[in-house]
Amino acid sequence: MCGCRASIPSTEQCSVNQPAPASTKKSPLSAAGKPKRIPIAKQLASIKALGQGSDLEKAFATVALVYNNNADPEGKLSRAETKSLLQTQFWHFIQGQENKPKYQEIISDLDEEPENKIDFEDFMMTLVMLTLMSDLLEEIKNVKTTK
């Protein structure tokens, strides 16, 4: 961690290039009453090691940032939050999967004990399983890669 308030678990965030707001200032709040998030693209741009990173490295960094932006201070998500995050941030991959038994099994698992927490590794495994069974994966495989 760089020591910036953005890298320390808290309810306030600041830009990597800006000082932390004074404690007397209120951080801007979104409509839900939560601090406004720094866009993922700006968060990625602030990671110097990714400046020359590959597309694959940036893709995984994006997943990690999305997860971390939604995780609790211990770095975990409830099963209910995980389901919601997947349905909002990964919906192109899960669209049309609702009738597949494996998809139903994964979602049912998340519905059981929704307050229980999962860690990043379990989140990634769920993401990989949903990707592998997705119809979108077939479309991606068929994309023309040469002229």
Side-chain angles (χ1 to χ4, degrees), residues 84-101:
S84 175
L85 185 61
L86 290 170
Q87 289 174 331
T88 58
Q89 294 288 318
F90 207 61
W91 71 276
H92 285 98
F93 275 89
I94 62 177
Q95 190 175 20
Q97 306 307 304
E98 298 83 2
N99 295 326
K100 291 184 177 178

Side-chain angles (χ1 to χ4, degrees), residues 63 66-67 70 77-95 97-98 102-103 105-111 118-120 122-131 133:
V63 173
V66 169
Y67 178 89
N70 290 280
L77 284 175
S78 73
R79 291 172 176 272
E81 291 168 323
T82 300
K83 179 181 174 182
S84 175
L85 185 61
L86 290 170
Q87 289 174 331
T88 58
Q89 294 288 318
F90 207 61
W91 71 276
H92 285 98
F93 275 89
I94 62 177
Q95 190 175 20
Q97 306 307 304
E98 298 83 2
K102 187 64 179 173
Y103 174 83
E105 180 184 330
I106 292 167
I107 295 303
S108 292
D109 186 50
L110 293 174
D111 286 336
I118 70 166
D119 57 20
F120 182 68
D122 290 334
F123 177 79
M124 288 299 292
M125 293 301 296
T126 303
L127 204 59
V128 169
M129 286 188 293
L130 291 171
T131 302
M133 61 184 280

Side-chain angles (χ1 to χ4, degrees), residues 1-143:
M1 291 191 172
C2 66
C4 170
R5 293 180 58 81
S7 65
I8 300 169
S10 104
T11 58
E12 296 181 10
Q13 288 195 354
C14 66
S15 165
V16 172
N17 296 325
Q18 297 176 357
S23 60
T24 57
K25 290 183 180 179
K26 298 258 184 187
S27 62
L29 299 178
S30 67
K34 295 182 180 181
K36 287 185 178 179
R37 294 270 184 212
I38 297 169
I40 294 291
K42 284 188 178 183
Q43 291 179 40
L44 278 174
S46 73
I47 303 170
K48 292 178 185 173
L50 288 177
Q52 299 296 318
S54 69
D55 291 340
L56 184 59
E57 290 169 321
K58 290 175 184 177
F60 272 89
T62 300
V63 173
L65 286 170
V66 169
Y67 178 89
N68 288 337
N69 285 343
N70 290 280
D72 65 14
E74 289 95 35
K76 296 189 176 202
L77 284 175
S78 73
R79 291 172 176 272
E81 291 168 323
T82 300
K83 179 181 174 182
S84 175
L85 185 61
L86 290 170
Q87 289 174 331
T88 58
Q89 294 288 318
F90 207 61
W91 71 276
H92 285 98
F93 275 89
I94 62 177
Q95 190 175 20
Q97 306 307 304
E98 298 83 2
N99 295 326
K100 291 184 177 178
K102 187 64 179 173
Y103 174 83
Q104 291 173 347
E105 180 184 330
I106 292 167
I107 295 303
S108 292
D109 186 50
L110 293 174
D111 286 336
E112 291 177 18
E113 302 178 26
E115 68 284 348
N116 281 359
K117 306 277 181 165
I118 70 166
D119 57 20
F120 182 68
E121 291 81 7
D122 290 334
F123 177 79
M124 288 299 292
M125 293 301 296
T126 303
L127 204 59
V128 169
M129 286 188 293
L130 291 171
T131 302
L132 290 173
M133 61 184 280
S134 175
D135 296 334
L136 184 56
L137 183 59
E138 285 305 310
E139 188 176 332
I140 292 167
K141 287 179 182 179
N142 293 326
V143 168

